[in-house]
Amino acid sequence: MTAPMTPPPAAPAPQGQAPAQQFWPGQAPAGGYVSPIPVRQATLGDAIAAEWTKIRSLRSTMWTLGTMLVIVMGIGALIALVTYNVADEGDIQGDVLGMGFVGVLLGMIPLLTLGVLTISSEYGTGLIRTTLTACPSRGRVLGAKAIVFFALTFVLTLVATTLVALLDAGLMSDLTTEGISGSEWLKATLGVSLYVALLGLLSLAVGALLRHSAGAITSMLGLVLLPPLLALFMMSDAVRPVGKALATWSIPSQLATFYGAELGDGGPSGWTPLWVVLGVTAIALGGAYTSMTRRDA
Protein backbone atom coordinates (compact mmCIF):
# COMPACT_ATOMS: atom_id res chain seq x y z
CA MET A 1 0.00 0.00 0.00
CA THR A 2 1.52 3.30 -1.09
CA ALA A 3 1.77 6.26 1.22
CA PRO A 4 -0.64 9.15 0.59
CA MET A 5 0.66 11.88 -1.65
CA THR A 6 1.48 15.23 -0.15
CA PRO A 7 1.54 18.61 -1.87
CA PRO A 8 4.93 19.72 -3.18
CA PRO A 9 6.89 21.88 -0.74
CA ALA A 10 6.54 25.60 -1.20
CA ALA A 11 9.54 27.62 -2.21
CA PRO A 12 11.18 29.41 0.74
CA ALA A 13 9.73 32.86 1.12
CA PRO A 14 11.99 35.89 1.30
CA GLN A 15 12.81 37.09 4.77
CA GLY A 16 9.97 39.10 6.30
CA GLN A 17 7.25 37.73 3.96
CA ALA A 18 4.62 35.05 4.61
CA PRO A 19 5.24 31.70 2.95
CA ALA A 20 3.48 31.21 -0.39
CA GLN A 21 0.33 29.05 -0.42
CA GLN A 22 0.78 25.56 -1.80
CA PHE A 23 -1.19 24.32 -4.82
CA TRP A 24 -1.15 21.17 -6.85
CA PRO A 25 0.24 21.63 -10.38
CA GLY A 26 -2.39 23.22 -12.60
CA GLN A 27 -4.72 23.86 -9.65
CA ALA A 28 -3.99 27.47 -8.78
CA PRO A 29 -5.89 29.97 -10.93
CA ALA A 30 -4.89 33.52 -11.68
CA GLY A 31 -4.55 35.31 -8.39
CA GLY A 32 -3.60 32.16 -6.50
CA TYR A 33 -7.04 31.27 -5.04
CA VAL A 34 -8.60 27.81 -4.86
CA SER A 35 -12.19 27.45 -3.63
CA PRO A 36 -12.52 25.41 -0.44
CA ILE A 37 -15.75 23.85 -1.81
CA PRO A 38 -14.94 20.34 -3.05
CA VAL A 39 -15.63 19.63 -6.71
CA ARG A 40 -17.49 16.36 -7.31
CA GLN A 41 -19.81 14.69 -9.74
CA ALA A 42 -23.50 15.57 -9.39
CA THR A 43 -25.73 12.72 -8.25
CA LEU A 44 -29.43 11.87 -8.48
CA GLY A 45 -29.77 13.06 -4.89
CA ASP A 46 -28.50 16.50 -5.91
CA ALA A 47 -31.02 16.65 -8.77
CA ILE A 48 -33.85 15.61 -6.44
CA ALA A 49 -32.85 18.30 -3.93
CA ALA A 50 -32.82 20.91 -6.71
CA GLU A 51 -36.23 19.84 -8.04
CA TRP A 52 -37.70 19.84 -4.54
CA THR A 53 -36.42 23.38 -4.02
CA LYS A 54 -38.00 24.48 -7.29
CA ILE A 55 -41.38 22.83 -6.85
CA ARG A 56 -41.91 24.03 -3.27
CA SER A 57 -40.87 27.60 -4.06
CA LEU A 58 -43.34 28.09 -6.94
CA ARG A 59 -46.71 29.73 -6.34
CA SER A 60 -48.37 27.41 -8.84
CA THR A 61 -47.57 24.46 -6.56
CA MET A 62 -49.31 26.03 -3.59
CA TRP A 63 -52.37 27.08 -5.59
CA THR A 64 -52.87 23.88 -7.56
CA LEU A 65 -52.25 21.44 -4.71
CA GLY A 66 -54.17 23.66 -2.29
CA THR A 67 -57.12 23.70 -4.68
CA MET A 68 -56.89 19.93 -5.04
CA LEU A 69 -57.02 19.42 -1.26
CA VAL A 70 -59.95 21.81 -0.86
CA ILE A 71 -61.93 20.09 -3.64
CA VAL A 72 -61.24 16.52 -2.51
CA MET A 73 -61.92 17.09 1.18
CA GLY A 74 -64.57 19.79 0.75
CA ILE A 75 -66.77 17.95 -1.76
CA GLY A 76 -66.23 14.63 0.00
CA ALA A 77 -67.29 16.11 3.35
CA LEU A 78 -70.23 17.99 1.80
CA ILE A 79 -71.66 14.86 0.14
CA ALA A 80 -71.23 12.88 3.35
CA LEU A 81 -72.95 15.53 5.48
CA VAL A 82 -75.87 15.95 3.07
CA THR A 83 -76.36 12.19 2.86
CA TYR A 84 -76.21 11.89 6.64
CA ASN A 85 -78.93 14.52 7.07
CA VAL A 86 -81.37 13.15 4.48
CA ALA A 87 -80.90 9.38 4.78
CA ASP A 88 -82.55 7.08 7.27
CA GLU A 89 -81.13 4.05 9.00
CA GLY A 90 -80.56 1.24 6.54
CA ASP A 91 -80.89 3.46 3.45
CA ILE A 92 -77.21 3.34 2.56
CA GLN A 93 -76.34 0.29 0.50
CA GLY A 94 -72.95 -0.68 -0.91
CA ASP A 95 -69.58 0.92 -0.30
CA VAL A 96 -70.04 4.06 1.80
CA LEU A 97 -66.51 5.16 0.93
CA GLY A 98 -67.72 5.84 -2.63
CA MET A 99 -68.95 9.24 -1.51
CA GLY A 100 -65.40 10.50 -1.99
CA PHE A 101 -65.41 9.66 -5.71
CA VAL A 102 -66.71 13.00 -7.04
CA GLY A 103 -64.22 15.04 -5.00
CA VAL A 104 -61.25 12.96 -6.21
CA LEU A 105 -62.41 13.10 -9.84
CA LEU A 106 -62.66 16.90 -9.78
CA GLY A 107 -59.60 17.33 -7.57
CA MET A 108 -57.32 15.55 -10.02
CA ILE A 109 -57.78 18.33 -12.60
CA PRO A 110 -55.55 20.92 -10.83
CA LEU A 111 -53.11 18.12 -10.03
CA LEU A 112 -52.81 17.20 -13.72
CA THR A 113 -52.28 20.89 -14.49
CA LEU A 114 -49.39 21.03 -12.03
CA GLY A 115 -47.87 17.89 -13.55
CA VAL A 116 -47.74 19.59 -16.95
CA LEU A 117 -46.41 22.88 -15.56
CA THR A 118 -43.65 21.10 -13.61
CA ILE A 119 -41.69 20.68 -16.83
CA SER A 120 -43.44 22.63 -19.60
CA SER A 121 -43.05 25.95 -17.77
CA GLU A 122 -39.26 25.51 -17.83
CA TYR A 123 -39.33 25.10 -21.58
CA GLY A 124 -41.57 28.15 -21.90
CA THR A 125 -39.31 30.42 -19.84
CA GLY A 126 -35.98 28.95 -20.98
CA LEU A 127 -35.10 27.81 -17.45
CA ILE A 128 -34.62 24.30 -18.78
CA ARG A 129 -31.31 25.44 -20.31
CA THR A 130 -30.04 26.45 -16.88
CA THR A 131 -31.27 23.17 -15.43
CA LEU A 132 -29.49 21.12 -18.09
CA THR A 133 -26.33 23.19 -17.70
CA ALA A 134 -26.24 22.41 -13.99
CA CYS A 135 -27.17 18.76 -14.63
CA PRO A 136 -26.28 17.70 -18.20
CA SER A 137 -27.79 14.23 -17.72
CA ARG A 138 -31.30 14.67 -19.11
CA GLY A 139 -32.43 11.30 -17.84
CA ARG A 140 -31.40 12.34 -14.33
CA VAL A 141 -33.35 15.59 -14.64
CA LEU A 142 -36.49 13.80 -15.82
CA GLY A 143 -36.11 11.12 -13.15
CA ALA A 144 -35.69 13.70 -10.38
CA LYS A 145 -38.77 15.61 -11.51
CA ALA A 146 -40.79 12.39 -11.66
CA ILE A 147 -39.68 11.22 -8.20
CA VAL A 148 -40.35 14.56 -6.49
CA PHE A 149 -43.72 15.10 -8.18
CA PHE A 150 -44.94 11.55 -7.59
CA ALA A 151 -43.93 11.53 -3.93
CA LEU A 152 -45.51 14.93 -3.24
CA THR A 153 -48.82 14.21 -4.97
CA PHE A 154 -49.10 10.69 -3.57
CA VAL A 155 -48.63 11.82 0.03
CA LEU A 156 -51.09 14.72 -0.25
CA THR A 157 -53.71 12.61 -2.03
CA LEU A 158 -53.33 9.84 0.53
CA VAL A 159 -53.86 12.29 3.38
CA ALA A 160 -56.95 13.81 1.72
CA THR A 161 -58.58 10.48 0.76
CA THR A 162 -57.90 9.00 4.21
CA LEU A 163 -59.55 11.94 5.97
CA VAL A 164 -62.58 11.75 3.67
CA ALA A 165 -62.84 7.98 4.17
CA LEU A 166 -62.70 8.36 7.95
CA LEU A 167 -65.45 10.99 7.82
CA ASP A 168 -67.63 8.84 5.57
CA ALA A 169 -67.19 5.79 7.75
CA GLY A 170 -67.91 7.73 10.93
CA LEU A 171 -71.09 9.39 9.65
CA MET A 172 -72.52 6.40 7.81
CA SER A 173 -71.87 3.77 10.45
CA ASP A 174 -75.45 4.13 11.78
CA LEU A 175 -77.08 4.36 8.35
CA THR A 176 -75.80 1.15 6.79
CA THR A 177 -76.01 -2.47 7.78
CA GLU A 178 -72.81 -3.40 5.95
CA GLY A 179 -69.35 -2.96 7.40
CA ILE A 180 -66.28 -1.71 5.54
CA SER A 181 -63.75 -4.39 4.67
CA GLY A 182 -60.01 -3.94 4.73
CA SER A 183 -59.90 -4.27 0.95
CA GLU A 184 -62.36 -1.41 0.54
CA TRP A 185 -60.30 0.80 2.86
CA LEU A 186 -57.11 -0.03 0.98
CA LYS A 187 -58.56 0.66 -2.47
CA ALA A 188 -60.32 3.90 -1.44
CA THR A 189 -57.15 5.36 0.09
CA LEU A 190 -53.91 3.75 -1.11
CA GLY A 191 -55.26 2.56 -4.46
CA VAL A 192 -56.87 5.89 -5.35
CA SER A 193 -53.77 7.83 -4.26
CA LEU A 194 -51.45 5.68 -6.40
CA TYR A 195 -53.80 5.98 -9.38
CA VAL A 196 -54.05 9.77 -9.15
CA ALA A 197 -50.29 10.21 -8.59
CA LEU A 198 -49.56 8.05 -11.66
CA LEU A 199 -51.95 10.18 -13.71
CA GLY A 200 -49.95 13.19 -12.51
CA LEU A 201 -46.76 11.50 -13.77
CA LEU A 202 -48.50 10.90 -17.09
CA SER A 203 -49.28 14.61 -17.34
CA LEU A 204 -45.62 15.40 -16.59
CA ALA A 205 -44.55 13.09 -19.41
CA VAL A 206 -47.04 14.70 -21.81
CA GLY A 207 -45.67 18.12 -20.82
CA ALA A 208 -42.14 16.93 -21.66
CA LEU A 209 -43.30 15.56 -25.00
CA LEU A 210 -45.31 18.60 -26.12
CA ARG A 211 -43.26 21.33 -24.36
CA HIS A 212 -46.30 23.58 -24.48
CA SER A 213 -48.33 24.20 -21.34
CA ALA A 214 -51.70 24.97 -22.94
CA GLY A 215 -51.49 22.10 -25.41
CA ALA A 216 -50.42 19.55 -22.80
CA ILE A 217 -53.07 20.63 -20.27
CA THR A 218 -55.76 20.46 -22.97
CA SER A 219 -54.57 17.00 -23.97
CA MET A 220 -54.78 15.71 -20.39
CA LEU A 221 -58.24 17.20 -19.83
CA GLY A 222 -59.37 15.65 -23.10
CA LEU A 223 -58.02 12.28 -21.98
CA VAL A 224 -60.06 12.49 -18.76
CA LEU A 225 -63.30 14.04 -20.03
CA LEU A 226 -63.63 13.28 -23.76
CA PRO A 227 -64.09 9.45 -23.78
CA PRO A 228 -67.22 9.36 -21.53
CA LEU A 229 -68.69 12.35 -23.39
CA LEU A 230 -68.15 10.71 -26.78
CA ALA A 231 -69.73 7.52 -25.49
CA LEU A 232 -72.99 9.40 -24.87
CA PHE A 233 -73.37 10.08 -28.59
CA MET A 234 -72.43 6.60 -29.82
CA MET A 235 -75.87 5.03 -29.55
CA SER A 236 -76.29 3.54 -33.02
CA ASP A 237 -75.67 -0.17 -33.50
CA ALA A 238 -72.61 0.42 -35.69
CA VAL A 239 -70.61 2.34 -33.09
CA ARG A 240 -72.24 1.18 -29.86
CA PRO A 241 -69.40 -1.30 -29.01
CA VAL A 242 -66.87 1.51 -29.40
CA GLY A 243 -68.92 3.80 -27.18
CA LYS A 244 -69.26 1.09 -24.54
CA ALA A 245 -65.50 0.50 -24.55
CA LEU A 246 -64.82 4.23 -24.23
CA ALA A 247 -67.21 4.56 -21.30
CA THR A 248 -66.00 1.40 -19.57
CA TRP A 249 -62.28 2.11 -19.82
CA SER A 250 -62.42 5.88 -19.35
CA ILE A 251 -60.53 7.39 -16.43
CA PRO A 252 -63.70 8.24 -14.43
CA SER A 253 -64.89 4.63 -14.77
CA GLN A 254 -61.51 3.23 -13.78
CA LEU A 255 -61.43 5.53 -10.76
CA ALA A 256 -64.95 4.40 -9.78
CA THR A 257 -63.65 0.81 -9.70
CA PHE A 258 -61.62 1.66 -6.60
CA TYR A 259 -64.86 2.66 -4.89
CA GLY A 260 -66.61 -0.65 -5.57
CA ALA A 261 -68.34 0.17 -8.87
CA GLU A 262 -69.25 -2.86 -11.00
CA LEU A 263 -68.68 -2.16 -14.69
CA GLY A 264 -69.89 -5.50 -16.01
CA ASP A 265 -68.18 -8.10 -18.18
CA GLY A 266 -65.10 -6.88 -20.01
CA GLY A 267 -64.59 -3.87 -17.77
CA PRO A 268 -61.82 -3.19 -15.27
CA SER A 269 -62.12 -4.65 -11.80
CA GLY A 270 -60.05 -4.89 -8.66
CA TRP A 271 -56.60 -3.35 -9.13
CA THR A 272 -56.66 -3.58 -12.94
CA PRO A 273 -56.95 0.22 -13.47
CA LEU A 274 -53.73 0.73 -11.53
CA TRP A 275 -51.79 -1.63 -13.80
CA VAL A 276 -53.32 0.01 -16.88
CA VAL A 277 -52.27 3.54 -15.89
CA LEU A 278 -48.87 2.24 -14.73
CA GLY A 279 -48.18 0.76 -18.17
CA VAL A 280 -49.39 3.86 -20.03
CA THR A 281 -47.34 6.15 -17.78
CA ALA A 282 -44.20 4.04 -18.24
CA ILE A 283 -44.56 4.24 -22.03
CA ALA A 284 -45.14 8.00 -21.87
CA LEU A 285 -42.10 8.53 -19.65
CA GLY A 286 -40.01 6.48 -22.06
CA GLY A 287 -41.17 8.73 -24.88
CA ALA A 288 -40.43 11.82 -22.79
CA TYR A 289 -36.88 10.57 -22.11
CA THR A 290 -36.32 9.92 -25.81
CA SER A 291 -37.65 13.36 -26.66
CA MET A 292 -35.42 15.11 -24.11
CA THR A 293 -32.27 13.30 -25.26
CA ARG A 294 -32.83 13.76 -29.00
CA ARG A 295 -34.20 17.31 -29.12
CA ASP A 296 -32.48 20.54 -28.25
CA ALA A 297 -33.69 22.46 -25.22
Side-chain angles (χ1 to χ4, degrees):
M1 185 174 180
T2 59
M5 299 178 63
T6 57
Q15 188 174 4
Q17 295 184 11
Q21 187 167 352
Q22 303 176 33
F23 299 106
W24 288 103
Q27 192 180 33
Y33 173 76
V34 172
S35 172
I37 301 175
V39 178
R40 61 177 178 81
Q41 284 288 99
T43 63
L44 179 61
D46 298 324
I48 290 175
E51 293 302 327
W52 169 245
T53 300
K54 284 192 285 188
I55 199 169
R56 67 185 175 88
S57 60
L58 293 175
R59 293 181 180 178
S60 58
T61 303
M62 178 186 68
W63 284 108
T64 52
L65 293 183
T67 302
M68 184 269 290
L69 290 175
V70 170
I71 292 175
V72 173
M73 294 189 292
I75 294 181
L78 180 62
I79 293 176
L81 290 172
V82 170
T83 304
Y84 176 76
N85 288 322
V86 301
D88 296 325
E89 184 175 353
D91 286 350
I92 306 300
Q93 302 294 329
D95 190 357
V96 300
L97 301 182
M99 296 180 186
F101 164 75
V102 176
V104 174
L105 180 61
L106 296 178
M108 74 167 59
I109 294 177
L111 187 145
L112 298 181
T113 301
L114 178 62
V116 170
L117 294 177
T118 299
I119 191 165
S120 65
S121 60
E122 292 198 30
Y123 280 102
T125 60
L127 179 62
I128 191 66
R129 299 186 185 93
T130 304
T131 299
L132 295 179
T133 300
C135 183
S137 175
R138 303 190 178 198
R140 186 184 299 159
V141 170
L142 181 62
K145 288 182 179 294
I147 291 171
V148 169
F149 183 78
F150 178 83
L152 178 61
T153 54
F154 170 73
V155 170
L156 291 180
T157 308
L158 182 61
V159 170
T161 53
T162 301
L163 291 176
V164 172
L166 290 173
L167 178 63
D168 291 344
L171 289 176
M172 303 303 147
S173 59
D174 297 332
L175 302 178
T176 180
T177 57
E178 301 179 8
I180 304 175
S181 66
S183 175
E184 291 172 344
W185 275 103
L186 196 63
K187 290 169 66 177
T189 55
L190 181 63
V192 169
S193 301
L194 286 172
Y195 186 81
V196 172
L198 285 172
L199 282 177
L201 271 189
L202 178 60
S203 66
L204 187 148
V206 171
L209 285 167
L210 299 184
R211 300 186 177 187
H212 189 274
S213 298
I217 292 171
T218 303
S219 299
M220 289 305 302
L221 294 180
L223 181 64
V224 174
L225 302 176
L226 193 57
L229 291 177
L230 285 177
L232 295 176
F233 299 96
M234 294 183 176
M235 303 302 295
S236 64
D237 294 337
V239 294
R240 186 173 297 169
V242 177
K244 181 180 178 181
L246 287 175
T248 302
W249 289 95
S250 65
I251 288 177
S253 297
Q254 292 186 46
L255 182 63
T257 303
F258 290 102
Y259 290 103
E262 299 292 339
L263 301 180
D265 296 336
S269 61
W271 294 86
T272 302
L274 187 62
W275 313 134
V276 171
V277 74
L278 180 61
V280 173
T281 302
I283 294 173
L285 285 174
Y289 172 75
T290 302
S291 174
M292 289 185 67
T293 54
R294 295 189 177 182
R295 295 165 62 187
D296 292 335

